[in-house]
């Protein structure tokens, strides 16, 4: 038994087991990744279709139906610095998560303005337009920002007035199970519907009603979640950041109904 | 011990949950409805079988001083693989189970079986022991989850069984069953039932066993 217990032997067995196990794990991860990514992509599509109001709550869409309804949406790339549509990147392959890490496609955010705790912001973002002839019915924009433990990802859909919330979906996060993950609950997300993002001065005014936030006008007020103050604050800051000057603000303001009566589908 | 007993014993007479009261945390967490409980059962059984077989295969070359580390490494690798498979083939359920698949690593049943059985027995017997204990765990999970889903929502696997008051039936769903605490009650009732049926499983209360020890030493 002394040979089994000798130090070189211990190291050898440990290294051998570690090698075999790591091979097993990495092979499994590598083989299964395409399937997982395909699922993620269809799941993302399903969320956008739901936010755009192309599916009712009770309806269960197959993958194929999901994709065909997604076709009804007009996917456009927005240059966040100018607020204009652009063809600089391909809307089909553009991924703003990876772009936010790419020094060529993103810029650092000044810490004082970094409400969403992102560090960097990609220059381009995808938006999804649901057009009705010549006017916009709904517009879905992606948002993401820091919650308590993790980055929260979601989509916000606006009505044609570009300030009333039609729907919100927060679909990916690593918040506390049972507390912070209530941001995923359909009831809470439904409580956003009909709220106004912007106040009269055109500043994002949406806020959660908490003891510290003080009075929030009813039309800008979203219920807080008990025990999840940091998570909800993160969500609110994320939304205010993305609808503010550094986010979609310049893009949304240029065809705001206050400026043109019927919201036209903007020319490229 | 005959091979038949290796695989059949953990079902009732040496059940890891009702007799050994191991692995209770996951049994509480994933039994709100039947489907996640079924998937969790399969996952734990697969991990148990793999861990037992692999530990048993290399049991003669594992140095005793690092045996627990080796066992946990093998268990953890199996759990990661199972988790990845679920994410690829059952993503919906994988989301419901969330951290609990990863927490199979800390399920005392798995380390318990590799340490007490697979380290000392052949590959075939270890495989049967792993499967037996996995099925024993699964039986309890399925009992608890069926009870909770049926009484809590009136359906099983999502299919309506009891007609709810809201749909013109007469069953009022018991909201308590949807809460985690009800899993405690159901498991406790199950342990009570099993021990009434097999009184040999009833343990001597600790204060009595202490008194016996004391009398013996005195």
């Amino acid at each position: 038994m002394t040979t089994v217990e000798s130090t070189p032997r211990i190291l050898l067995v440990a290294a051998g087991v570690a090698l075999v196990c790591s091979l097993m794990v990495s092979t499994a991860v590598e083989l299964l990744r395409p399937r997982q990514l395909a699922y993620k992509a269809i799941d993302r599509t399903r969320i956008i279709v739901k936010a755009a109001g192309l599916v009712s709550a009770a309806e269960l869409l197959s993958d194929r139906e999901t994709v065909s309804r997604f076709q009804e949406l007009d996917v456009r790339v927005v240059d966040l610095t100018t607020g204009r549509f652009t063809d600089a990147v391909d809307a089909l392959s553009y991924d703003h998560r990876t772009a936010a890490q790419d020094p060529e496609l993103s810029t650092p955010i000044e810490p004082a303005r970094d409400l969403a705790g992102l560090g960097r912001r990609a220059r381009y973002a995808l938006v999804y337009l649901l057009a009705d002839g010549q006017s916009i019915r709904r517009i879905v924009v992606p948002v993401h920002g820091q919650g308590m433990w993790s980055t929260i990802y979601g989509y916000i859909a606006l009505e044609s007035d570009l300030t009333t919330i039609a729907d919100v979906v927060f679909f990916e996060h690593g918040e506390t199970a049972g507390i912070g993950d209530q941001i995923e609950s359909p009831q809470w997300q439904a409580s956003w519907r009909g709220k106004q993002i912007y106040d009269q001065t055109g500043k994002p005014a949406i806020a959660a009603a908490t003891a510290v936030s003080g009075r929030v006008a009813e039309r800008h007020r979203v219920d807080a979640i008990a025990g999840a103050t940091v998570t909800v604050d993160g969500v609110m800051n994320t939304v205010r950041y993305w609808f503010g000057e550094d986010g979609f603000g310049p893009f949304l303001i240029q065809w705001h109904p206050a400026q043109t009566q019927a919201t036209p589908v903007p020319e490229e | 011990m005959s091979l038949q007993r290796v695989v059949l014993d953990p079902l009732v007479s040496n059940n890891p949950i009702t007799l050994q009261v191991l692995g209770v945390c996951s049994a509480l967490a994933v039994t709100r409805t039947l489907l996640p409980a079924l998937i969790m059962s399969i996952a734990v059984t697969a991990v148990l079988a793999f861990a037992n077989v692999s530990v048993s295969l290399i049991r003669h070359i594992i140095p005793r001083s690092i045996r627990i580390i080796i066992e946990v490494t093998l268990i953890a690798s199996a759990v990661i693989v199972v988790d990845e498979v679920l994410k690829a083939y059952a993503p919906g359920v994988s989301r419901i189970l969330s951290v609990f698949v990863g927490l199979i690593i800390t399920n005392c049943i798995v380390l318990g079986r590799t340490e007490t059985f697979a380290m000392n027995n052949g590959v075939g017997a270890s495989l049967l022991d792993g499967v037996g204990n996995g099925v024993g765990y699964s039986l309890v999970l399925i009992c608890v989850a069926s009870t909770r889903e049926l009484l809590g929502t009136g359906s099983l696997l999502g299919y309506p069984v009891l007609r709810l008051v809201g749909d013109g039936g007469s069953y009022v769903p018991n909201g308590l069953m949807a809460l985690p605490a009800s899993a405690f009650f159901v498991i406790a009732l199950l342990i009570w039932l099993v021990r009434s049926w097999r009184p040999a499983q009833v343990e001597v209360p600790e204060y009595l066993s202490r008194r016996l020890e004391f009398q013996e030493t005195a």
Side-chain angles (χ1 to χ4, degrees):
Chain A
M1 283 310 273
T2 47
T3 50
V4 174
E5 296 299 319
S6 69
T7 308
R9 187 66 185 272
I10 291 176
L11 290 175
L12 189 72
V13 173
V17 169
L19 186 71
V20 171
C21 285
S22 53
L23 275 178
M24 188 174 87
V25 168
S26 46
T27 314
V29 170
E30 204 51 45
L31 288 178
L32 294 167
R33 183 170 300 152
R35 243 194 111 88
Q36 294 174 353
L37 289 181
Y39 168 76
K40 259 199 164 144
I42 192 81
D43 200 39
R44 190 81 54 84
T45 309
R46 185 168 279 133
I47 289 162
I48 296 168
V49 166
K50 184 199 164 264
L54 291 171
V55 54
S56 68
E59 234 176 330
L60 267 180
L61 291 188
S62 71
D63 293 356
R64 186 168 303 218
E65 286 168 317
T66 305
V67 173
S68 81
R69 297 216 189 164
F70 183 71
Q71 309 280 322
E72 293 177 35
L73 294 172
D74 190 4
V75 187
R76 296 280 189 89
V77 182
V78 172
D79 184 335
L80 293 175
T81 48
T82 61
R84 306 245 166 222
F85 289 119
T86 172
D87 288 326
V89 289
D90 178 23
L92 287 176
S93 61
Y94 183 70
D95 176 14
H96 88 208
R97 284 195 205 185
T98 48
Q101 310 302 323
D102 185 338
E104 288 192 1
L105 289 171
S106 66
T107 46
I109 310 170
E110 258 178 73
R113 301 171 72 95
D114 195 4
L115 281 175
L118 295 170
R120 297 186 75 82
R121 187 207 68 187
R123 178 163 179 193
Y124 305 110
L126 294 180
V127 298
Y128 306 86
L129 307 176
L130 182 63
D132 192 4
Q134 278 308 298
S135 60
I136 297 285
R137 256 167 58 205
R138 264 192 194 190
I139 175 161
V140 181
V141 301
V143 297
H144 67 289
Q146 192 62 32
M148 180 151 175
W149 309 112
S150 63
T151 305
I152 298 168
Y153 293 88
Y155 288 99
I156 312 267
L158 297 183
E159 302 284 8
S160 55
D161 63 3
L162 301 181
T163 177
T164 306
I165 293 176
D167 209 349
V168 298
V169 189
F170 298 104
F171 62 97
E172 194 180 316
H173 63 82
E175 299 301 293
T176 319
I179 305 172
D181 71 352
Q182 288 304 304
I183 58 170
E184 255 190 277
S185 103
Q187 287 85 355
W188 189 67
Q189 297 186 355
S191 77
W192 286 64
R193 286 185 201 141
K195 302 294 176 184
Q196 308 288 315
I197 293 230
Y198 293 108
D199 62 13
Q200 272 98 354
T201 62
K203 290 216 160 52
I206 191 118
T210 60
V212 289
S213 71
R215 287 176 64 87
V216 181
E218 211 270 328
R219 60 208 182 91
H220 300 306
R221 187 174 66 215
V222 173
D223 288 343
I225 297 172
T229 309
V230 179
T231 302
V232 172
D233 280 349
V235 169
M236 291 304 165
N237 285 332
T238 298
V239 174
R240 281 200 293 267
Y241 174 82
W242 282 104
F243 286 93
E245 285 171 36
D246 295 337
F248 293 103
F251 162 70
L252 292 172
I253 204 84
Q254 62 175 326
W255 29 291
H256 201 271
Q259 299 181 349
T260 49
Q261 271 312 308
T263 314
V265 177
E267 300 298 324
E268 275 186 63
Chain B
M1 207 192 317
S2 76
L3 289 181
Q4 204 178 352
R5 285 198 49 206
V6 167
V7 72
L8 293 181
D9 262 6
L11 300 192
V12 178
S13 48
N14 190 12
N15 187 287
I17 297 183
T18 60
L19 182 73
Q20 302 166 20
V21 198
L22 291 178
V24 175
C25 343
S26 59
L28 298 175
V30 302
T31 51
R32 202 166 85 90
T33 51
L34 189 49
L35 182 65
L38 281 175
I39 302 282
M40 184 70 174
S41 301
I42 296 168
V44 170
T45 308
V47 170
L48 261 166
F50 173 85
N52 259 9
V53 166
S54 54
V55 168
S56 171
L57 266 175
I58 57 170
R59 66 187 189 281
H60 296 302
I61 61 163
I62 300 179
R64 288 203 65 73
S65 49
I66 56 163
R67 67 181 196 285
I68 301 279
I69 302 175
I70 300 272
E71 287 163 24
V72 172
T73 308
L74 289 164
I75 295 167
S77 311
V79 169
I80 297 172
V81 171
V82 166
D83 196 19
E84 293 294 323
V85 170
L86 285 184
K87 275 184 194 151
Y89 289 92
V93 178
S94 166
R95 267 180 87 86
I96 300 175
L97 291 174
S98 67
V99 294
F100 295 105
V101 176
L103 286 178
I104 296 175
I105 299 171
T106 62
N107 192 320
C108 328
I109 300 171
V110 189
L111 187 61
R113 292 330 291 175
T114 56
E115 174 68 5
T116 57
F117 196 94
M119 280 298 283
N120 306 306
N121 288 281
V123 174
S126 297
L127 173 66
L128 290 180
D129 179 76
V131 172
N133 276 280
V135 174
Y137 171 88
S138 308
L139 281 180
V140 174
L141 238 65
I142 290 166
C143 284
V144 177
S146 325
T147 313
R148 288 184 65 191
E149 187 175 353
L150 187 65
L151 300 182
T153 67
S155 40
L156 271 182
L157 284 173
Y159 294 103
V161 176
L162 302 170
R163 267 167 72 95
L164 302 183
V165 169
D167 301 337
S170 60
Y171 182 69
V172 182
N174 183 342
L176 180 64
M177 283 294 165
L179 300 175
S182 68
F184 273 114
F185 307 148
V186 179
I187 290 181
L189 286 172
L190 197 64
I191 292 177
W192 181 26
L193 267 177
V194 170
R195 290 184 186 191
S196 312
W197 173 35
R198 299 273 180 91
Q201 293 194 7
V202 179
E203 294 149 35
V204 181
E206 203 169 323
Y207 67 94
L208 282 180
S209 64
R210 287 268 168 76
R211 192 190 292 168
L212 287 173
E213 265 170 44
F214 179 72
Q215 283 168 346
E216 275 166 23
T217 49

